[in-house]
Amino acid sequence: MINKIHIIILLGCILSACNVLPKNQDDTIAPYILTDDGINSKIKLSEIITRHYRIIPLETKAKCLVGSINKIVKRDSVFYILSNERKIETFNHEGKHLSTLEKIGRGPDEYTYIGDFDVYSKNGQKEIWLCDMNCIKIYNAATMQHVKSIYYPFVINKFKKTPDDYILLMTGQNKSLISLSDPSGNIIDSCINAKVTNTMLKPVQFIPYKDKFVYQIDLTNSCVTYDPGQKQFQEKFIVSTENNWLSELQYDALFQEHEYGFFKYLKNYTFIKTLRYMNKKLYIVSHKDKKRYLHILFGSKQQTIQFAPNTRIINDIFSSDNNLNFISSLNMGESDDSILLILEPSAQDIRQIKRGSDSERIISKINEHDNPVILEYY
């Protein structure tokens, strides 16, 4: 085992020649994480992230049935949902269906699948960008007509357009894992050599954080940040290593020992599933000993709450058995001004408790075959 670890370290040193600043032990996104020390206190689900939330049951019709959700994006009060890697359904602020982008095929204005997508504004018009094999295809979000394509010499698994119109790329079939291109598709910079243990595909691969973007290395405590202002990549730890989070070295060693069966051994480690940033607050979802936690950090203040399997959260939104595993769906969505959670359809009521009162009213009924429901905190 020791020899295998040494080989991994050596290969990393030989191959990692790229324009990226090395890790600094003191330069972390979150300095430390506390344990859940408020076990005897209660917190309402309606207040767990912010004190303002909305329930959005997505309209259910034959023409807009949502299958397996791959990603959800909210831009200017419109929800865009990637379903089964083949179509993007759009819904308005209240969940009413608006339109569908579905152009499966091999023609110049079609795609074979959707690996990732995002929505951007250009000259007052919304555009839907998606990646399909070695290109990014752009569609007018109002008409769903193809606008243009950007081609690359390798597979594009995930991407993110930066404010200066450069494009961050998570690549496949390529030596480098992360690349940066100009708007025409010319590669400007690359960093981090690709290997099995840093290529996990996530719904949101490049996470907006303050004025930067964060690429987490799979489930480990390591990440690469990109600063558009400096056009600079930097390797970082997400949390101080004193917290004993799953490291890249441990992650690599697990794969060397167990190969593709190594995921079942992650239960023995504390690892980070995802993170989000909104209104100067950092939200981190972590797993440890089969337990799931939500960490909320705001300046020097922080709160850690266990939400599964046992929890001190009072579910004052849904009539249910208090199964709060859906909080893990924090990793599925991206919004400019809110945190999005997704509830899969099941036979239950959505209820709302009036402020300052114990009375409640049923505001919606979710049927088993309905489209999912979005829980939005803003």
Side-chain angles (χ1 to χ4, degrees):
M1 173 64 73
I2 298 298
N3 290 335
K4 292 178 180 178
I5 293 174
H6 285 167
I7 291 171
I8 294 170
I9 296 173
L10 180 60
L11 286 174
C13 294
I14 293 173
L15 297 175
S16 60
C18 59
N19 183 23
V20 57
L21 297 177
K23 291 188 183 76
N24 182 329
Q25 187 73 27
D26 299 321
D27 187 12
T28 62
I29 292 178
Y32 62 94
I33 294 290
L34 297 177
T35 58
D36 188 353
D37 57 357
I39 297 175
N40 296 323
S41 63
K42 300 294 183 182
I43 183 171
K44 295 179 179 179
L45 179 62
S46 61
E47 300 176 351
I48 188 173
I49 292 180
T50 68
R51 292 181 178 272
H52 303 283
Y53 73 93
R54 294 195 315 123
I55 294 292
I56 306 103
L58 300 179
E59 183 178 18
T60 302
K61 288 185 178 180
K63 67 177 183 178
C64 63
L65 290 178
V66 175
S68 175
I69 296 179
N70 307 115
K71 182 179 181 179
I72 177 169
V73 171
K74 182 195 174 191
R75 298 283 185 255
D76 292 338
S77 300
V78 175
F79 297 97
Y80 302 81
I81 298 178
L82 175 57
S83 173
N84 296 328
E85 296 186 337
R86 61 175 293 124
K87 65 177 182 175
I88 297 172
E89 302 285 4
T90 67
F91 298 85
N92 71 5
H93 187 66
E94 301 301 327
K96 181 176 177 57
H97 182 253
L98 297 175
S99 59
T100 303
L101 173 60
E102 187 171 15
K103 294 181 180 288
I104 293 289
R106 296 190 178 276
D109 65 337
E110 298 173 324
Y111 52 81
T112 57
Y113 77 104
I114 304 176
D116 191 13
F117 86 100
D118 210 335
V119 181
Y120 303 105
S121 294
K122 182 178 181 181
N123 300 325
Q125 298 288 323
K126 286 286 185 296
E127 292 181 339
I128 297 176
W129 290 39
L130 61 86
C131 60
D132 171 31
M133 297 298 291
N134 68 326
C135 74
I136 291 176
K137 297 197 172 185
I138 303 171
Y139 295 83
N140 183 297
T143 64
M144 299 302 178
Q145 296 301 307
H146 179 250
V147 177
K148 64 178 289 189
S149 297
I150 305 172
Y151 288 91
Y152 294 95
F154 38 66
V155 171
I156 306 301
N157 288 318
K158 302 287 179 176
F159 69 91
K160 170 64 71 173
K161 187 164 77 73
T162 64
D164 57 1
D165 291 335
Y166 280 63
I167 308 168
L168 287 165
L169 307 166
M170 176 195 180
T171 67
Q173 299 178 6
N174 185 34
K175 177 182 176 181
S176 297
L177 174 66
I178 301 173
S179 292
L180 177 71
S181 85
D182 67 13
S184 299
N186 302 304
I187 301 303
I188 304 300
D189 197 3
S190 298
C191 76
I192 307 299
N193 288 88
K195 56 184 179 181
V196 173
T197 50
N198 65 11
T199 53
M200 176 184 288
L201 299 179
K202 298 183 179 183
V204 180
Q205 207 82 40
F206 296 98
I207 302 168
Y209 174 71
K210 298 182 178 180
D211 58 346
K212 299 179 177 64
F213 295 94
V214 176
Y215 180 103
Q216 182 189 3
I217 304 298
D218 282 28
L219 300 171
T220 73
N221 188 35
S222 295
C223 68
V224 176
T225 63
Y226 175 72
D227 183 342
Q230 300 295 324
K231 288 187 170 55
Q232 179 68 63
F233 291 104
Q234 181 174 4
E235 293 186 76
K236 286 190 176 186
F237 295 108
I238 298 175
V239 184
S240 169
T241 55
E242 294 178 3
N243 291 91
N244 295 320
W245 298 91
L246 178 66
S247 69
E248 284 186 84
L249 188 62
Q250 291 171 321
Y251 200 62
D252 288 341
L254 280 173
F255 178 76
Q256 289 297 313
E257 183 175 1
H258 305 288
E259 295 187 335
Y260 290 96
F262 78 105
F263 282 106
K264 65 182 180 180
Y265 297 95
L266 290 177
K267 63 184 179 181
N268 300 322
Y269 297 85
T270 301
F271 63 87
I272 297 170
K273 181 172 183 180
T274 193
L275 56 101
R276 290 293 183 274
Y277 184 77
M278 183 187 74
N279 294 338
K280 299 182 179 179
K281 288 186 178 182
L282 178 64
Y283 302 89
I284 296 176
V285 173
S286 73
H287 292 199
K288 179 182 180 181
D289 299 330
K290 298 183 179 180
K291 298 176 182 178
R292 301 182 181 188
Y293 297 91
L294 175 65
H295 311 277
I296 305 171
L297 297 92
F298 179 58
S300 61
K301 300 179 181 178
Q302 65 170 281
Q303 186 176 30
T304 294
I305 307 166
Q306 180 180 330
F307 63 87
N310 301 310
T311 183
R312 59 189 175 95
I313 302 171
I314 300 173
N315 190 343
D316 59 337
I317 300 178
F318 301 96
S319 299
S320 69
D321 58 0
N322 218 39
N323 183 342
L324 302 181
N325 283 320
F326 64 84
I327 292 176
S328 287
S329 67
L330 183 81
N331 74 317
M332 298 297 295
E334 180 181 335
S335 170
D336 292 330
D337 57 6
S338 61
I339 296 291
L340 305 176
L341 302 178
I342 301 170
L343 292 101
E344 297 297 333
S346 61
Q348 63 181 5
D349 296 325
I350 300 177
R351 61 186 181 177
Q352 186 177 52
I353 296 180
K354 298 177 182 178
R355 297 297 179 194
S357 171
D358 290 331
S359 62
E360 62 181 61
R361 63 187 180 92
I362 302 299
I363 61 173
S364 184
K365 177 80 174 180
I366 313 174
N367 295 314
E368 193 170 351
H369 301 291
D370 284 351
N371 271 339
V373 172
I374 297 172
L375 173 57
E376 179 183 24
Y377 291 91
Y378 58 94

